[in-house]
Amino acid sequence: MIWSIIVGAIIGAIAGAITNRGESMGWIANIFAGLIGSAIGQGILGSWGPSLAGMAIIPSIIGAIILVLIVSAIFGVRGSK
């Protein structure tokens, strides 16, 4: 459970950094983005590639990026300049 939270936070932070929305998200939002994005990514892309704490890393990051972009589009969160 703790490993899943840690890996989810890292995945969410990576997704926030890639989309330039990392500063606007807090660490709790990073954890949620990583965990929910992992489920989305593995549901869409499957669980291929390296895995850590039960999460396939590459599909999880892609799913978290999709989630961050959708949520920021809905709530109007802008990236840092």
Side-chain angles (χ1 to χ4, degrees):
M1 176 76 176
I2 297 295
W3 280 113
S4 296
I5 292 172
I6 292 170
V7 173
I10 293 169
I11 290 171
I14 291 170
I18 290 172
T19 60
N20 270 345
R21 283 149 175 91
E23 285 83 31
S24 62
M25 296 171 35
W27 60 274
I28 294 176
N30 280 335
I31 292 171
F32 282 121
L35 294 175
I36 296 170
S38 174
I40 291 170
Q42 289 184 49
I44 294 172
L45 301 170
S47 57
W48 51 272
S51 182
L52 188 60
M55 295 181 232
I57 301 298
I58 296 170
S60 296
I61 291 172
I62 293 170
I65 290 170
I66 292 169
L67 178 68
V68 168
L69 290 174
I70 290 172
V71 169
S72 56
I74 291 172
F75 291 110
V77 177
R78 302 273 185 234
S80 62
K81 295 185 180 198

